């Protein structure tokens, strides 16, 4: 073999001071550390299986040799990559943006790369991303489904892809899931407003096909019935086509045109509440003096609004971390894996945007 063809050894000599590197493999690391090839593979891919002392020896050899793992070659069982897909309903949502750090912090510790996709609540777009992620042989997928039907997700797991439902409960024991009790969240919002004395509440909701919207509606109706009110009479519900500030302004206009104008508004999320508060100010309607407003999610900016927004707090970081932990367990599990459903409880955070209704007259 000529000098041109022969791999060069690492060298610090030469007039230009450059270093040429030998192409190393896990075999070299194993020989240097005095362990088996399988042990090196486990240290890189499944370190929990290797004793701490052995891990230190292997990592010391990796550092000494300057070995860089070949990412495409580092596969999990079944030939899958060290990549995890996350499919959320709206990537620009402050709610999901506060969940993702919890997901990332857990997966980074496990040395997984995150690929984030947004379905925009479109089942067709969701299906495209799921197909693409599966083609990239991701180890698992965290998903907040765009619709109620999750049969395709169950089938996806049966094909060897780990699947955990994010912000949505599973069906029986077929998939792991992490969610917040949204019925309780709607109840908390309604109970707060009814306890202040409000008897006519506007509810700016999203589509009933979205489970979170349906659950919050159920909770709000439950709170109305508990104080002896007919939900159909006490609650004026508007279904918004977009769940953002623009949707909040559109919904407020419809509520103000109602001959039985409400004295309080419960918004399906904090972004909708932003639009409501902004438009109330434009119209010269005092909040909360003339109109109380409650949001949902308690995203970071909720406390910075004027007035500071009363909202239903979701434990977003914890939700993301729990979902990631379940996913790691799921794609490393055997066929008899026991699926878990983790349900967090929401919390009412009372701020300056709610008060008793104005006195009659």
């Amino acid at each position: 073999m000529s000098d041109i063809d022969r791999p060069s050894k690492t060298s610090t000599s030469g007039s230009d001071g450059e270093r040429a590197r030998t192409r190393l493999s896990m075999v070299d690391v194993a020989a240097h550390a005095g362990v088996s090839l399988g042990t090196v593979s486990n240290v890189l891919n499944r370190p929990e299986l290797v004793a701490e002392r052995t891990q230190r020896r292997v990592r010391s050899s990796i550092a000494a040799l300057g070995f860089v793992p070949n990412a495409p070659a580092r596969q999990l069982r079944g030939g899958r990559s060290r990549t995890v897909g996350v499919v959320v309903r709206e990537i620009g949502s402050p709610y999901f943006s506060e969940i993702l750090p919890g997901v990332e912090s857990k997966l980074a510790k496990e040395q997984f790369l995150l690929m984030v996709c947004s379905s925009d609540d479109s089942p067709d777009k969701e299906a495209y991303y799921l197909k693409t992620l599966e083609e990239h042989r991701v180890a698992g997928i965290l998903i907040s489904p765009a619709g109620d039907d999750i049969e395709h997700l169950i089938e996806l797991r049966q094909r060897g892809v780990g699947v955990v439902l994010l912000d949505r409960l599973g069906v029986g024991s077929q998939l792991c899931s992490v969610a917040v009790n949204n019925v309780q969240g709607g109840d908390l919002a309604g109970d707060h407003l009814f306890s202040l004395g409000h008897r006519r509440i506007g509810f700016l909701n999203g589509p009933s096909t979205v489970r979170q919207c349906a659950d919050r509606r159920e909770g709000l109706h439950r709170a109305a019935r508990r104080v002896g009110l007919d939900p159909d009479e006490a609650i004026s519900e508007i279904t918004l086509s977009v769940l953002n500030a623009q949707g909040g302004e559109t919904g407020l206009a419809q509520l103000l045109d109602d001959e039985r104008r409400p004295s309080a508004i419960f918004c399906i999320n904090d972004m909708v509440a932003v639009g409501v508060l902004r438009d109330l100010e434009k119209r010269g309607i005092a909040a909360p003096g003339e109109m109380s407003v409650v949001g949902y999610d308690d995203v970071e900016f909720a406390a910075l609004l004027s007035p500071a927004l009363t909202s239903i707090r979701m434990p977003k970081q914890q939700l993301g971390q729990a979902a990631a932990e379940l996913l790691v367990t799921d794609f490393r599990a055997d066929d008899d894996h026991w699926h878990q459903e983790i349900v967090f409880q929401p919390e009412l955070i009372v701020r300056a945007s709610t008060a008793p209704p104005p006195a009659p007259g």
Side-chain angles (χ1 to χ4, degrees), residues 39-100:
T39 297
V40 176
S41 177
N42 281 335
V43 169
L44 292 172
N45 299 307
R46 303 183 68 181
E48 72 277 4
L49 299 180
V50 183
E52 184 65 32
R53 182 178 178 181
T54 304
Q55 284 192 51
R56 287 196 297 269
R57 187 161 78 248
V58 171
R59 293 191 188 284
S60 176
S61 293
I62 289 173
L65 295 173
F67 171 68
V68 178
N70 181 2
R74 297 176 63 191
Q75 304 290 310
L76 296 170
R77 185 175 68 244
R80 298 203 170 275
S81 71
R82 298 196 65 84
T83 305
V84 166
V86 179
V87 183
V88 297
R89 297 194 310 278
E90 185 183 354
I91 201 169
S93 162
Y95 172 67
F96 285 114
S97 70
E98 291 181 33
I99 287 178
L100 288 175

Side-chain angles (χ1 to χ4, degrees), residues 27-271:
V27 173
D28 300 300
V29 175
H32 188 277
V35 299
S36 70
L37 179 60
T39 297
V40 176
S41 177
N42 281 335
V43 169
L44 292 172
N45 299 307
R46 303 183 68 181
E48 72 277 4
L49 299 180
V50 183
E52 184 65 32
R53 182 178 178 181
T54 304
Q55 284 192 51
R56 287 196 297 269
R57 187 161 78 248
V58 171
R59 293 191 188 284
S60 176
S61 293
I62 289 173
L65 295 173
F67 171 68
V68 178
N70 181 2
R74 297 176 63 191
Q75 304 290 310
L76 296 170
R77 185 175 68 244
R80 298 203 170 275
S81 71
R82 298 196 65 84
T83 305
V84 166
V86 179
V87 183
V88 297
R89 297 194 310 278
E90 185 183 354
I91 201 169
S93 162
Y95 172 67
F96 285 114
S97 70
E98 291 181 33
I99 287 178
L100 288 175
V103 174
E104 193 276 336
S105 66
K106 170 61 180 175
L107 292 177
K109 290 178 183 177
E110 299 286 342
Q111 298 181 322
F112 283 92
L113 176 70
L114 220 59
M115 292 179 64
V116 182
C117 311
S118 179
S119 70
D120 297 322
D121 273 327
S122 165
D124 289 340
K125 194 172 181 182
E126 175 184 290
Y128 164 74
Y129 280 129
L130 291 175
K131 179 177 180 292
T132 302
L133 290 170
E134 186 175 14
E135 288 173 350
H136 280 75
R137 303 199 64 75
V138 296
I141 296 173
L142 289 174
I143 181 169
S144 182
D148 275 343
D149 184 8
I150 61 170
E151 187 61 33
H152 60 299
L153 300 176
I154 296 171
E155 293 173 354
L156 183 62
R157 188 182 184 279
Q158 291 170 347
R159 292 196 296 271
V161 182
V163 178
V164 171
L165 301 182
L166 178 63
D167 195 27
R168 164 78 183 277
L169 289 179
V171 179
S173 60
Q174 299 178 80
L175 292 174
C176 287
S177 61
V178 177
V180 177
N181 187 340
N182 281 292
V183 175
Q184 177 65 10
D187 192 321
L188 286 172
D191 182 70
H192 175 60
L193 293 174
F194 290 129
S195 68
L196 288 172
H198 296 278
R199 290 298 179 263
R200 181 73 175 172
I201 295 176
F203 180 30
L204 299 184
N205 198 7
S208 60
T209 53
V210 176
R211 174 55 56 186
Q212 292 85 345
C213 298
D215 285 351
R216 293 170 198 179
R217 180 181 188 272
E218 180 182 340
L220 181 61
H221 281 223
R222 186 170 73 183
R225 288 191 293 269
R226 193 165 53 246
V227 295
L229 298 175
D230 179 353
D232 292 333
E233 292 295 324
I235 300 167
S236 179
E237 182 173 347
I238 304 293
T239 300
L240 304 177
S241 58
V242 289
L243 305 184
N244 55 21
Q246 180 182 350
E249 293 183 358
T250 300
L252 175 64
Q254 294 181 56
L255 290 173
L256 295 179
D257 285 340
D258 194 325
E259 59 182 17
R260 296 181 60 209
R261 187 165 118 171
S263 59
I265 300 174
F266 172 36
C267 302
I268 192 62
N269 65 31
D270 289 343
M271 283 303 299

